[in-house]
Amino acid sequence: MAATARSAIRPPAPSKVKILATADDLFYTEGIHTVGVDRIIAAAHVTKATFYKHYRSKDLLIIAYVEGRDREIREFLDDAEARLDDPREVIRALTVKIGVEATRTGFRGCPFINAAAQFADPAHPVRVAVTAHRDWYADRIEALMRAIGHPQPGNAADDYLLARDGALAGGYVGDSIAANAALHRSTERLLAEAEA
């Protein structure tokens, strides 16, 4: 029993972390379908055997990439809720984070939308992982909107997600400063609706 508990908390092997970090960078900057396993192996400086020991297929690595990006956002919101007493400030902090991301050098759009766009079948495991992320995200925003007393928290969450998606798309293909400003305006309108 003690051995099982120890193995449950063992950190991942450094080579596994390196493979995922390499894939994360390449998948995001160049596109999932354009980056092959051999390219990841070479860039991560690991052997093919090491790659397949940790990830039995490219699809499993792609899912790990999507789940890693999902985990980052979950951790951000958990931390924001722990630090900030007011759910309005949590929403504002998230809006700032999205805006910073959308205006940074090297920004290539939303990694979840980008991943979904490369897998047409909604039943594909990558699409399932993206859908799970978006469902969780919508539920979390709805809970925050409910906490601030928004009269229609579900609709407000949908509006926020649409504004977020628009800001991330606009940040990549349009004027990132204007997209960020529009996201902030949309957020403040939604927050004001809770006070009306």
Side-chain angles (χ1 to χ4, degrees), residues 15-134:
S15 56
K16 184 175 186 177
V17 172
K18 188 191 305 185
I19 291 165
L20 182 56
T22 301
D24 184 279
D25 180 57
L26 292 173
F27 287 162
Y28 183 71
T29 58
E30 297 181 22
I32 292 169
H33 283 320
T34 62
V35 176
V37 168
D38 289 340
R39 174 89 187 283
I40 295 165
I41 289 168
H45 305 291
V46 297
T47 65
K48 193 169 276 198
T50 299
F51 176 89
Y52 285 107
K53 172 185 168 188
H54 296 302
Y55 300 99
R56 298 195 193 300
S57 69
K58 183 180 174 184
D59 279 356
L60 291 177
L61 179 59
I62 297 165
I63 292 165
Y65 157 68
V66 171
E67 289 174 346
R69 293 286 180 134
D70 171 74
R71 194 168 36 259
E72 288 175 17
I73 295 169
R74 289 176 189 251
E75 289 171 359
F76 174 84
L77 278 172
D78 288 346
D79 178 66
E81 288 186 10
R83 286 183 300 106
L84 304 166
D85 293 331
D86 185 348
R88 286 172 183 78
E89 294 310 312
V90 174
I91 294 168
R92 286 185 176 114
L94 179 60
T95 300
V96 167
K97 177 178 175 43
I98 295 164
V100 167
E101 181 68 11
T103 57
R104 76 172 172 79
T105 302
F107 179 65
R108 298 282 185 269
C110 172
F112 301 99
I113 294 172
N114 292 350
Q118 295 184 60
F119 294 89
D121 180 2
H124 189 283
V126 173
R127 285 287 298 273
V128 170
V130 170
T131 299
H133 165 75
R134 289 186 65 85

